[in-house]
Amino acid sequence: MAGANRNDDVVLGGEEEDQNILQWRIKKLIQGLNRQRGAGTSMISLIIPPRDQIARVTKMLNDEYGTASNIKSRVNRLSVLSAITSTLQRLKLYNRVPPNGLVIYCGTIITEDGKPKKVNIDIEPFKPINTSLYLCDNKFHTEALKELLESDDKFGFIVMDGSGCLFGTLAGNTRETLHKFTVDLPKKHGRGGQSALRFARLRLEKRHNYVKKVAELATHLFITADKINVVGLILAGSADFKSELSLSDMFDARLQPKILKIVDVSYGGENGFNQAIELSQEVLAGVKFIQEKKLICSYFEQISQDTGRYCFGITDTMRALEMGAVETLIVWENLEHNRFVVRGAQTGTERTLILSVEQEKAPDVFTIEGENCEVIEKVQLVDWLALNYKRYGAVLEFVTNRSQEGSQFCRGFGGIGALLRYRVDFLTLDENDEYAAADLDGDSPEEDYYC
């Protein structure tokens, strides 16, 4: 996803950025847009789906411009016309609609001090946005962007019964049938006299071949270039074939751990696929939740074993990051610390401070060693980490406080920590490090700054 705000120079992402970072960025954008309010109906929300035409949207906006010219209120009329003009100018930057569609927010918002401010944002979503929208209102409409965040994980489904098998995937609210085939299996019966055993053997042989074919197709459809292309598998069916498949040695061992649930459905084929989705909602919704819990539990395990390959709090985590020791950086997505770069008024020396919102209110917070400093850069710490974590060879993982483990991490460990590549003894590090930082609770008896 990529986008820019001409007034604020906000860059929302790049092609090589990790998917979870892109999701976090768009979540932050949505939160910011939802807080904005304007006077009258001067805030435009425009969503253009893939394969639409820029010329059609331009004509529609020109028609809207003519209609808006008849608004009686002079202030509202000028604001709406200005927003439509800005939207038309943004559209001129595109020769065609991007492959995943285009989202534009333009208008005049009212800032906290009551002053008007123009906002122009265009976004190329990280996956197709199949919605068409044009609204003028006193707020930006972000519902379609929220839907993109609901689930971008792809889940595989295998629906098998005595009449055939269906392979499908579900990503968000988009379901796709990958392959399906029918099978003619002999029924169980007691006829045949002396041939009864032969009939039974043939029946078992056909069942075996059926399960083998399903297992081979599962490997072909759900493993690409030796990598599993789904985050989880749901096995469904009306007979015991699904259980037989999950226990079979023919089922790829790489797919075995990906089985999230085995469900009983009343139908096969497409109807069974729909029913399997309904019965698996709870499991599908909890996958990211489970992944987050596993990450934090592995972090707590390092602490309980006292391996030394962990750190927590801003001071130690930033030190470890600078040392290149961080393997996985774990950050609470709502961490409210800001990163300041300040310059001494007399010496011209630049320093970096990381402060909580409470610490920013301290009277002499920007007076260091008796020297007054001017702020030359201010950015949220989470934004800075999202932009710079790759420079240190780390993996960045955002977590929430919605699970018990997540809440414990945010409240007890400052909302920031890391799993390290090697053991680090922070007690032996020089106290006059290049940096110092403040922990999340701000109750530390000493002032921890990055200096």
Side-chain angles (χ1 to χ4, degrees):
M1 179 185 70
N5 181 330
R6 186 169 291 179
N7 297 297
D8 299 320
D9 295 326
V10 175
V11 179
L12 297 176
E15 292 182 359
E16 299 181 355
E17 196 155 23
D18 292 342
Q19 196 79 344
N20 63 329
I21 306 299
L22 291 176
Q23 290 187 19
W24 173 80
R25 286 184 174 280
I26 200 169
K27 188 184 296 184
K28 294 276 288 184
L29 172 67
I30 290 172
Q31 291 173 354
L33 291 173
N34 286 339
R35 288 194 297 266
Q36 309 300 339
R37 288 295 181 271
T41 56
S42 60
M43 301 170 73
I44 291 179
S45 304
L46 176 65
I47 299 177
I48 309 173
R51 297 183 298 276
D52 203 342
Q53 300 296 320
I54 294 291
R56 184 199 68 79
V57 180
T58 300
K59 181 180 182 303
M60 181 267 293
L61 288 173
N62 284 324
D63 293 342
E64 287 292 326
Y65 190 94
T67 303
S69 301
N70 298 322
I71 297 176
K72 293 183 179 180
S73 170
R74 179 179 177 276
V75 174
N76 192 28
R77 180 175 68 251
L78 294 177
S79 296
V80 173
L81 293 178
S82 175
I84 294 176
T85 301
S86 297
T87 306
L88 286 167
Q89 290 174 348
R90 302 303 284 186
L91 281 177
K92 289 179 181 178
L93 301 175
Y94 295 88
N95 294 324
R96 61 179 63 88
V97 179
N100 291 336
L102 182 63
V103 182
I104 296 178
Y105 294 104
C106 286
T108 303
I109 65 171
I110 305 300
T111 61
E112 293 179 357
D113 54 3
K115 295 181 180 179
K117 178 184 177 183
K118 286 188 176 182
V119 172
N120 300 311
I121 300 174
D122 59 286
I123 306 163
E124 297 177 29
F126 58 87
K127 64 180 182 180
I129 183 166
N130 299 313
T131 303
S132 182
L133 176 72
Y134 171 76
L135 280 176
C136 287
D137 205 345
N138 67 340
K139 64 178 182 179
F140 291 126
H141 289 263
T142 60
E143 295 82 4
L145 288 181
K146 288 180 182 177
E147 289 180 5
L148 291 183
L149 296 176
E150 284 183 359
S151 176
D152 65 321
D153 292 329
K154 184 188 290 185
F155 298 91
F157 284 78
I158 301 176
V159 183
M160 60 185 304
D161 60 9
S163 59
C165 184
L166 177 144
F167 298 85
T169 59
L170 176 70
N173 57 2
T174 303
R175 60 186 286 278
E176 179 183 0
T177 300
L178 302 178
H179 183 71
K180 57 183 176 180
F181 67 92
T182 58
V183 66
D184 184 17
L185 296 177
K187 299 292 187 285
K188 194 173 185 179
H189 60 79
R191 298 189 303 274
Q194 293 181 348
S195 300
L197 290 176
R198 181 170 63 87
F199 287 155
R201 187 175 66 251
L202 290 174
R203 176 177 172 273
L204 290 176
E205 183 179 341
K206 288 194 174 183
R207 286 174 63 94
H208 173 83
N209 292 337
Y210 176 41
V211 173
K212 180 180 179 181
K213 182 177 180 180
V214 172
E216 290 174 347
L217 282 171
T219 303
H220 174 70
L221 294 171
F222 297 128
I223 296 182
T224 306
D226 289 331
K227 290 186 178 180
I228 299 173
N229 56 30
V230 291
V231 298
L233 280 175
I234 307 294
L235 304 187
S238 57
D240 61 349
F241 283 110
K242 55 189 181 297
S243 301
E244 189 175 333
L245 175 67
S246 66
L247 299 174
S248 173
D249 294 335
M250 296 178 288
F251 194 57
D252 198 302
R254 293 169 291 180
L255 294 175
Q256 288 278 1
K258 291 293 182 179
I259 298 176
L260 300 176
K261 192 173 185 180
I262 299 176
V263 297
D264 289 309
V265 293
S266 305
Y267 315 97
E270 297 288 345
N271 291 332
F273 188 12
N274 291 331
Q275 191 177 9
I277 293 173
E278 290 295 326
L279 295 174
S280 307
Q281 287 299 316
E282 184 178 344
V283 175
L284 302 183
V287 167
K288 284 189 176 181
F289 186 76
I290 293 170
Q291 291 173 344
E292 178 181 305
K293 290 184 65 167
K294 285 183 178 179
L295 173 66
I296 299 177
C297 284
S298 66
Y299 175 77
F300 288 162
E301 186 177 348
Q302 293 287 331
I303 296 175
S304 65
Q305 295 177 359
D306 196 21
T307 62
R309 294 178 56 188
Y310 65 88
C311 63
F312 54 85
I314 290 178
T315 303
D316 288 349
T317 302
M318 297 303 290
R319 282 176 177 171
L321 195 64
E322 289 288 340
M323 293 165 58
V326 173
E327 184 173 20
T328 303
L329 180 61
I330 307 172
V331 182
W332 180 32
E333 64 180 11
N334 291 326
L335 189 68
E336 293 185 342
H337 285 65
N338 289 316
R339 182 181 185 272
F340 294 86
V341 177
V342 298
R343 181 187 294 128
Q346 286 79 36
T347 63
T349 303
E350 290 188 3
R351 294 185 173 99
T352 302
L353 308 176
I354 297 179
L355 306 171
S356 66
V357 176
E358 293 78 13
Q359 288 170 328
E360 290 180 36
K361 300 175 183 177
D364 298 325
V365 67
F366 297 120
T367 301
I368 302 175
E369 297 177 358
E371 182 182 23
N372 291 328
C373 299
E374 63 171 332
V375 177
I376 59 176
E377 181 183 317
K378 176 185 177 181
V379 64
Q380 278 197 320
L381 179 60
V382 286
D383 288 335
W384 186 87
L385 290 173
L387 288 173
N388 294 279
Y389 73 97
K390 286 187 177 180
R391 288 172 45 198
Y392 303 99
V395 174
L396 178 59
E397 296 286 352
F398 286 110
V399 298
T400 67
N401 61 350
R402 290 192 286 270
S403 66
Q404 181 180 349
E405 293 82 2
S407 178
Q408 183 179 353
F409 175 77
C410 296
R411 297 175 56 142
F413 294 86
I416 184 170
L419 294 169
L420 307 181
R421 293 187 172 90
Y422 49 83
R423 184 183 182 92
V424 176
D425 187 357
F426 292 99
L427 294 177
T428 62
L429 294 178
D430 185 5
E431 293 182 358
N432 298 320
D433 198 359
E434 180 185 1
Y435 294 108
D439 286 332
L440 182 64
D441 54 17
D443 294 331
S444 176
E446 54 182 334
E447 291 183 338
D448 291 331
Y449 295 120
Y450 254 174
C451 305

